[in-house]
Amino acid sequence: MLFLKLSLSALFIDLILGGHARGKGPVILVSFDAFRWDYLDMNRTNTNYFNAVIANGVRAKYVYNVFPTMTFPNHYTLVTGQYPESHGIISNDMFDPTLNDSFSMSTNHSRWWNTFAEPIWITNQKQGHKSGLCYWPGYDVEYHGINPSFTTSGYAYDKPFVSQGNIMPWRMRVDLVVKWLKEEDPPSFIAMYFDSPDEAGHCCGPDSVNVTDEIRKCNNITGYLLEQLKRERLLDKVNLIITADHGTAGLNYSTVINFAEILSPEDKVWTEGYAYFLLHPSNVTKTYEKLKELEKKKSHFTVYLKENLPENLHFKHSSRIPEIVVIMEEHWVANTMNLPLPETLETKGTHGWPPSVASMRPFFIAQGPAFKEGYKTGPIRMIDIYPLICHLLGIQPELNNGSLDRISHLLESPPSLSDEYQLTTDSF
């Protein structure tokens, strides 16, 4: 049985006002994939536009995200307020024993996405508003017959989280979003995804010049968005939230442990950047015992039966989570396919380690009429961003694990009345 929190702040405000809760202006949610929380403090390149958002708005020290610290689970948490065990997108790649089918980052069949959770853009539309999605994971998914009001689905470009080839130029994406906001009936919620600086981090490690170049690119994207909003006299009306899904940590091939030697050919292994792997073993007891023996000899990783995973990971109450989960120590990675390793020890990067590992955490900045000005705070939780956005939109949230109370201190005028209660459900 899983415990979910439902924030009723918007509902109580609605009752006080005697009508629908009043929104606080349109919300643009921007994600830069793998933008680590401390990148802005390293003085690596010009970040003047990011700094302008911070000066005019708020900055959290970092975001405590969710396990696994991968693209799809965390992006879906941002728009549902639920842990992956609840919203069902437990990994970038996974196997569902009920569906007897496999999922990858190119999968857009509704049965994978709408079984357990409803993203905020659908909730927003069901409550009478419009939403726009610019390549956010799930942008091309139909939820019980509902599609985003505005979407990049249908354009002749590849998905940026799947391909590095035919990708819509970032200026075109910004121009498209600003065009949506100029419509006669514009979206009140927009989510934008950019795949930078993730690929550079994988290629060359988080401290590389490649990542520095991508930080500069992200800054320029932010600047162009600010300039276009200002040109259309929208900047003072929009609440802009800029964040990410996870960070990146460095590694080299001296920190690889080969698991393929002890795994059975019948075992189904689902790997994510090798910082952890999910295992459907052909024989749970036998495979678990072999892995525990290797753990004693090699260390640098921990093997868990699903039911024994630490509670703070919130990663056990889903049929999609397999029987065994192996979590590597930071900087150590798993080779589960017996791949040949290069002779050089060049630095690479990856992610997937638990949120307790500082390098896995993303950043958070925001500005707009609803936010304080020049306000810096400590860490916030990713699950709380969802109820925050629902409050800004004036919509009632779906069931979620977040809390508006924990994050409302970012607001210029925090809700005057809020409450929470616990709900239990067997449906997750």
Side-chain angles (χ1 to χ4, degrees):
M1 183 168 292
L2 180 67
F3 291 89
L4 288 174
K5 293 181 179 178
L6 173 60
S7 173
L8 295 184
S9 303
L11 177 59
F12 279 113
I13 294 170
D14 179 57
L15 294 174
I16 291 170
L17 296 175
H20 291 293
R22 293 178 295 185
K24 314 295 189 226
V27 174
I28 300 178
L29 174 64
V30 178
S31 173
F32 290 111
D33 197 323
F35 201 110
R36 207 169 75 186
W37 67 278
D38 56 353
Y39 280 170
L40 294 181
D41 299 319
M42 295 179 175
N43 298 318
R44 299 169 63 158
T45 185
N46 184 8
T47 56
N48 57 321
Y49 294 115
F50 283 133
N51 296 339
V53 173
I54 295 169
N56 293 323
V58 302
R59 180 186 182 183
K61 183 176 181 180
Y62 58 78
V63 178
Y64 196 88
N65 48 350
V66 299
F67 180 80
T69 51
M70 301 298 293
T71 298
F72 270 38
N74 278 268
H75 275 93
Y76 215 44
T77 289
L78 280 166
V79 294
T80 62
Q82 297 180 11
Y83 292 110
E85 67 175 1
S86 299
H87 63 55
I89 306 300
I90 64 152
S91 196
N92 288 352
D93 297 277
M94 57 186 170
F95 175 78
D96 188 316
T98 302
L99 298 175
N100 193 29
D101 198 5
S102 302
F103 176 95
S104 72
M105 296 175 77
S106 61
T107 302
N108 65 351
H109 195 288
S110 299
R111 64 181 181 174
W112 286 95
W113 296 83
N114 64 18
T115 302
F116 303 115
E118 178 181 284
I120 193 169
W121 62 86
I122 299 298
T123 304
N124 190 48
Q125 291 179 196
K126 287 169 67 173
Q127 296 186 33
H129 312 287
K130 291 192 174 183
S131 304
L133 264 67
C134 184
Y135 294 112
W136 192 276
Y139 75 99
D140 57 347
V141 176
E142 184 179 278
Y143 291 82
H144 300 291
I146 303 175
N147 291 295
S149 314
F150 300 88
T151 177
T152 46
S153 181
Y155 283 81
Y157 293 97
D158 296 336
K159 297 181 179 183
F161 42 78
V162 173
S163 170
Q164 293 295 312
N166 181 35
I167 305 299
M168 181 184 286
W170 61 262
R171 286 179 181 270
M172 182 176 177
R173 296 188 225 179
V174 172
D175 291 340
L176 184 62
V177 163
V178 173
K179 179 183 177 182
W180 292 346
L181 287 169
K182 292 166 59 181
E183 294 283 340
E184 184 175 341
D185 187 11
S188 61
F189 172 75
I190 293 174
M192 304 181 69
Y193 168 85
F194 296 93
D195 60 337
S196 177
D198 184 60
E199 189 61 30
H202 283 295
C203 158
C204 310
D207 299 324
S208 64
V209 65
N210 307 65
V211 168
T212 299
D213 290 342
E214 292 302 300
I215 293 171
R216 185 182 306 114
K217 174 183 173 181
C218 295
N219 179 69
N220 291 337
I221 293 171
T222 300
Y224 186 67
L225 175 60
L226 293 173
E227 291 168 356
Q228 297 309 301
L229 290 172
K230 184 177 181 179
R231 189 184 64 141
E232 300 299 335
R233 299 182 180 179
L234 294 169
L235 186 58
D236 294 335
K237 300 178 177 66
V238 169
N239 289 301
L240 175 63
I241 296 173
I242 305 175
T243 187
D245 47 358
H246 54 72
T248 302
L251 62 98
N252 63 52
Y253 292 109
S254 69
T255 57
V256 176
I257 296 177
N258 188 7
F259 289 86
E261 295 174 350
I262 68 167
L263 295 176
S264 167
E266 291 77 33
D267 295 335
K268 293 182 178 179
V269 179
W270 306 94
T271 57
E272 299 295 353
Y274 310 108
Y276 71 98
F277 64 90
L278 310 177
L279 180 63
H280 290 276
S282 55
N283 185 314
V284 175
T285 301
K286 183 178 179 180
T287 303
Y288 176 73
E289 290 175 352
K290 287 196 297 183
L291 286 169
K292 292 302 283 188
E293 282 298 317
L294 187 63
E295 178 186 320
K296 292 177 184 178
K297 294 177 183 178
K298 297 284 190 180
S299 67
H300 303 302
F301 66 91
T302 307
V303 183
Y304 295 100
L305 291 174
K306 173 180 177 176
E307 60 267 25
N308 295 332
L309 281 161
E311 293 295 332
N312 63 5
L313 292 182
H314 303 278
F315 198 70
K316 62 176 65 174
H317 299 289
S318 172
S319 60
R320 291 177 178 173
I321 300 171
E323 294 88 345
I324 294 177
V325 177
V326 177
I327 301 177
M328 307 299 294
E329 180 183 312
E330 185 184 13
H331 306 300
W332 286 80
V333 292
N335 181 358
T336 61
M337 294 177 284
N338 211 23
L339 297 174
L341 301 178
E343 296 180 0
T344 59
L345 294 181
E346 57 183 329
T347 299
K348 299 289 185 179
T350 194
H351 44 88
W353 291 283
S356 57
V357 176
S359 60
M360 295 298 97
R361 301 167 187 164
F363 79 136
F364 178 97
I365 61 177
Q367 73 166 47
F371 290 100
K372 292 178 179 177
E373 185 175 333
Y375 179 70
K376 294 183 179 181
T377 185
I380 62 173
R381 302 186 195 189
M382 180 172 282
I383 55 173
D384 295 339
I385 295 174
Y386 168 82
L388 172 67
I389 297 175
C390 287
H391 171 71
L392 297 177
L393 294 174
I395 62 174
Q396 183 172 335
E398 291 293 303
L399 287 172
N400 66 90
N401 297 113
S403 166
L404 178 58
D405 286 344
R406 282 195 301 250
I407 200 171
S408 62
H409 59 92
L410 302 180
L411 300 174
E412 182 67 30
S413 300
S416 57
L417 179 60
S418 68
D419 195 12
E420 291 182 349
Y421 68 89
Q422 293 279 0
L423 288 179
T424 63
T425 176
D426 292 314
S427 62
F428 289 82

